[in-house]
Structures are given as structure tokens and as C-alpha cells.
Amino acid sequence: MSAPIPTPDPLNDADSSGERHKLAIVIGTRPEAIKLAPVVLEAQRSGRFDVQVILTSQHREMLDQMVELFGLEIETDLDIMKPDQSLADVTTGALGGLHDTFERLRPDFVVVQGDTTTTFTGALAAFYLQIPVAHVEAGLRTYDRKQPFPEEINRCLTSQLADLHFAPTPQSRENLLKEGILDSNIWVTGNTAIDALFYTLDKLGDQDAEPSAHRTVLLTAHRRENHGEGMEHICDAVLDLVDRYDDLRVVYPVHLSPRVRATVFARLGNHPRVELIEPLGYQEFVLAMSRATLILTDSGGVQEEAPSLGKPVLILREVTERPEATEAGVALAVGTDRARIVREVSRLLDDAEHYRTMSETMNPYGDGTAAVRIVEAIAARLSSSTGS
Ligand code: UD1
Ligand code: UDP
């Protein structure tokens, strides 16, 4: 048994002692902003915390889009992004900046999310100052040190540093238990990605799509281990597909990483039915997902969102740390092999029964209430440790 999930009581959320704890929430990249926005908003709503949002700004434009959308108020912005930065640049910039910030703010708890270098350095800086750490989206594993790189190691190290582990699924909890993490420190909460998705779908309401003569593949790809050859094979597969299907268009909001852009614009820049566009705002991207025929991606977050929208997702990786959708038959890891990508996309486009099976709507990654559970659990831990 993992730690019991507290029952949220929105009418009676304020701590009976009236004490507000300082909660530092660390965000570096686009997906961290999307997935931590629900936690920031819920912690503020509960009235139990002084919430301090700290940006490393490992990303800049792609992060700012999300900070603005969710209306996050920023306590500190370390502004560390450099063009084509190395992992060491991000690590040293974030670690030093976060350490100084935590020393100044002295939060009661630090919250980090996922598996980026910001996540790992946030946990490490807090650990050095003996500030407890809560890890949102804990326990995802491929058990392959190089896939995804460096995220698999970032998440293992973060698990060693964290005090509270918010596992999105029972399977991620099992992974943590196998590594010796105490059951009483693990909470199965669902993924806050689904909170953000449901919140956004609610805001968007019913949107009529323009009727289209085309079928649309929505593509995103950015992973470091796919840079170079992997990206080239993905691009070549896209060209094969638009050649094979006259009614197919591919929409690709291209990540701002210069290594990704160099390959993508060189290979795909000239086809009338391959639309290379700038990274979309989250609402626009959710709309694009909901209107796509199918999704091709190496993104973690998109893998989580697609099943909740009933969209088949082909994962451009050999292994995934999110096996739940694959096991349910609505996602498939196809790697970056050109022929395999073409074969699996073609099967979805040609075989209506196969398409229908992979389009079942389900929510393997959460029910949209993860943030409430996370905020309750942190508050409960702080109350028990301070006796308030
Ligand atoms: C990072 C994370 C990855 C996550 C991804 C989400 C690490 C090691 N990697 O990868 O886990 O999946 O973010 O997108 O933490 N850039 C801009 N503007 C932006 C964002 C990026 O110009 O708003 C460019 C910069 O040149 C930057 C480069 O992209 O140097 C790479 O950014 P970086 O955060 O180092 O790696 P990502 O590949 O984005
Ligand atoms: N996303 C977005 N605009 C885009 C592409 C993606 O808002 O143009 C969202 C997507 O819905 C998901 C998150 O960004 O929530 C995924 O981010 P990314 O792929 O950069 O990182 P990963 O999830 O792989 O760490």
C-alpha cells in the first residue's frame, strides 16, 4: 500500500493553525510549466501556502508562452538559457542560482517536476540546504541510461534526493518501491498533465473545426538522443508519407533547439504539405492534437495527453517510460527507423479497424485531480513535521 490519498476538502482547506508554509516551485522548461501550473494554482487556492515560483529559464520563449497562459507570478527568474547550451551549462547555471535562491527564501518545501536538468539541480540544491523536496511525476523508468538521455538518469537521481514522491500511476510507484523508496513517502496521484489538459479543454469549450480535405499527422520531435541521424530518419519518413498519400498533410511545430531546427528545415522545408510552424501556445497545441488524425511524437507530455483525446500516438523512441498507453493498445513505440514509421502510419491510415482500436479515449495517466492530491499531501507532511 502506498500512502493513503487525502480526501480534498475544498470548503475547509486552510490549515487550522492558520500557518502558511513557504512552498518553492521550480520550473525550467515548457513541460514543467504546463505540468506545475495546476500545482501552483491549487497551492494558492488552498490558502495554505506562500507560493514562490522560481524559474531557471532553461527555456525562454517556450517557457514564457506557458507562464503567461497560466498567469503564473514569478518570484525569481534565473534566466540561464543560452543558445545551443550544453548540459554542463544548464547544470552549473541552475544549481548555483537555485542554491542562492533557496538560501535567500528559505522555503519549507521545494517542488520539482519530471526529469529535466532543472528538476535534478532543483532537488540537489534543496538537499544541500536540507530543505525537503517533493518530486512530481516520480518513478518513470525505461531502465536504459541512454534513452531518454539524460532524463533517465536525472529522474533516478531526483528520486534519491526527494522526500515525497508523487507517482502518476501504480506502475511508477512499483518502480520506486523496487529502488527502495519507502512506501509511506509515495503517493499515486495521476499526472498533472491531465489536470492541465482538462482545464484547457474546459476553457476552449466546443470548437468547430473547418472541414478539411486532408488527413493530418501532427508531429513533434526534439529528444537529444534523436538529434542527427534519428531526426533525419524521421524527416525522411515524413517525405515518404506525403508522397504516398495525396490527402495527407503533416503539421510540425518545430522545437526551438538549433540542433533540431537545422535538420528539420534542411530536410522538410520545401514540401507544400509539410507545414513547419513555430512552437504553438498550449491551447493551440491542444486544439491541434484534438483535430489531428494521428500523432507522431518523441515527447513525454504528448504521449500522456493523446489517449485522453482519443488520438492514436506513434512514439518516435525505441523505449518508453510511459508503458500504460502502449499496454492499453492506444500507443505504439516505433523508434526512428524510416521504414517502420512509414509502415505503422500507413497501417493507421489504411486500416479503419486498426485506427478505431487505437483511437479509444482513455485516461491511463490521470483523472485531472492530481494537483489537489499533491497539495494535500505536502500540507499533511508539513503539518505532521511541525505539529501544526
Ligand atoms: C529540455 C529537457 C528535456 C525536455 C525538453 C522539453 C534537459 C536536459 N532537457 O530539452 O528533458 O523534454 O526540454 O522541451 O533538461 N531554445 C530556445 N528557446 C526556448 C527553448 C530552447 O532557443 O524557449 C533552444 C536554445 O538554443 C537551447 C536549446 O534550445 O540552448 C536546447 O534547450 P535545452 O533546455 O538545453 O534542451 P531541450 O532539448 O529543450
Ligand atoms: N506543446 C505545446 N506546444 C507545442 C508542442 C508541445 O504546448 O508546439 C505541449 C504539449 O501539449 C505537452 C508539452 O508541450 O504538454 C510537451 O513538451 P515537450 O515535448 O517540449 O517536452 P517533453 O514532454 O518531451 O518533456
Side-chain angles (χ1 to χ4, degrees):
M1 272 286 289
S2 57
I5 291 176
T7 311
D9 180 2
L11 296 176
N12 191 23
D13 268 353
D15 196 314
S16 53
S17 68
E19 187 185 351
R20 282 154 67 96
H21 296 285
K22 285 199 266 178
L23 191 64
I25 301 188
V26 180
I27 297 176
T29 65
R30 166 169 72 188
E32 291 163 84
I34 294 168
K35 291 173 172 182
L36 283 175
V39 178
V40 172
L41 299 176
E42 173 57 24
Q44 286 169 335
R45 191 203 60 78
S46 74
R48 289 171 148 164
F49 295 99
D50 280 331
V51 178
Q52 303 163 324
V53 178
I54 300 166
L55 302 183
T56 62
S57 297
Q58 173 178 340
H59 283 177
R60 187 71 278 166
E61 302 88 333
M62 286 162 54
L63 176 64
D64 293 342
Q65 277 179 308
M66 304 307 159
V67 166
E68 195 183 324
L69 173 70
F70 291 103
L72 305 182
E73 278 173 41
I74 306 307
E75 210 290 333
T76 301
D77 184 347
L78 300 174
D79 198 19
I80 65 166
M81 197 198 85
K82 296 187 205 155
D84 206 12
Q85 62 208 355
S86 69
L87 291 173
D89 288 335
V90 184
T91 305
T92 50
L95 183 63
L98 288 171
H99 182 274
D100 293 351
T101 306
F102 296 157
E103 206 161 40
R104 175 171 58 81
L105 297 175
R106 283 278 156 197
D108 297 302
F109 236 102
V110 166
V111 179
V112 297
Q113 191 282 337
D115 54 21
T116 71
T117 298
T118 292
T119 315
F120 163 55
T121 53
L124 185 60
F127 174 73
Y128 284 160
L129 292 166
Q130 301 190 43
I131 300 167
V133 175
H135 184 203
V136 174
E137 195 183 276
L140 278 63
R141 299 287 185 268
T142 61
Y143 300 105
D144 180 332
R145 293 157 64 84
K146 295 197 174 154
Q147 299 187 74
F149 177 86
E151 291 83 2
E152 177 71 4
I153 293 300
N154 281 346
R155 39 171 106 105
C156 292
L157 295 172
T158 304
S159 294
Q160 292 304 311
L161 295 164
D163 299 84
L164 286 182
H165 309 260
F166 296 115
T169 66
Q171 199 149 339
S172 41
R173 167 181 167 263
E174 288 302 321
N175 294 339
L176 292 167
L177 291 174
K178 276 193 257 164
E179 288 169 24
I181 306 292
L182 282 184
D183 205 4
S184 53
N185 292 332
I186 306 172
W187 309 69
V188 179
T189 59
N191 199 307
T192 54
I194 307 305
D195 299 27
L197 179 67
F198 287 177
Y199 171 83
T200 302
L201 287 171
D202 216 42
K203 271 182 100 170
L204 285 169
D206 288 334
Q207 304 259 344
D208 290 331
E210 297 272 312
S212 168
H214 289 107
R215 292 185 284 180
T216 302
V217 170
L218 179 65
L219 166 63
T220 79
H222 70 83
R223 301 237 78 82
R224 264 186 163 74
E225 67 273 16
N226 284 347
H227 289 178
E229 232 177 70
M231 289 294 310
E232 288 169 15
H233 295 162
I234 293 167
C235 292
D236 292 342
V238 164
L239 291 175
D240 290 347
L241 285 162
V242 283
D243 282 346
R244 182 179 287 193
Y245 296 94
D246 290 344
D247 69 336
L248 192 68
R249 68 196 260 271
V250 175
V251 176
Y252 184 177
V254 189
H255 192 284
L256 293 181
S257 163
R259 294 184 189 211
V260 172
R261 290 172 86 85
T263 308
V264 170
F265 283 98
R267 298 228 164 190
L268 295 179
N270 284 321
H271 197 288
R273 280 182 287 112
V274 180
E275 295 168 31
L276 302 182
I277 58 177
E278 293 305 311
L280 290 170
Y282 182 61
Q283 290 185 338
E284 291 75 21
F285 190 75
V286 168
L287 262 186
M289 283 193 287
S290 59
R291 289 175 178 171
T293 309
L294 64 99
I295 299 173
L296 267 181
T297 193
D298 67 6
S299 158
V302 178
Q303 282 180 63
E304 290 151 355
E305 293 157 345
S308 293
L309 295 165
K311 296 296 167 179
V313 61
L314 298 179
I315 304 162
L316 299 165
R317 306 195 199 174
E318 299 301 333
V319 285
T320 178
E321 61 287 295
R322 294 165 169 89
E324 293 83 355
T326 310
E327 284 161 12
V330 296
L332 182 67
V334 296
T336 56
D337 180 75
R338 174 178 178 172
R340 182 150 189 232
I341 296 169
V342 173
R343 190 169 65 243
E344 294 299 341
V345 173
S346 301
R347 188 166 169 224
L348 279 166
L349 294 175
D350 295 339
D351 179 345
E353 181 53 26
H354 178 56
Y355 182 81
R356 200 193 52 71
T357 308
M358 281 196 75
S359 306
E360 195 184 331
T361 302
M362 56 177 73
N363 299 302
Y365 299 108
D367 63 1
T369 60
V372 176
R373 295 185 171 117
I374 288 166
V375 168
E376 279 288 328
I378 297 172
R381 178 59 59 96
L382 278 166
S383 302
S384 66
S385 61
T386 60
S388 63

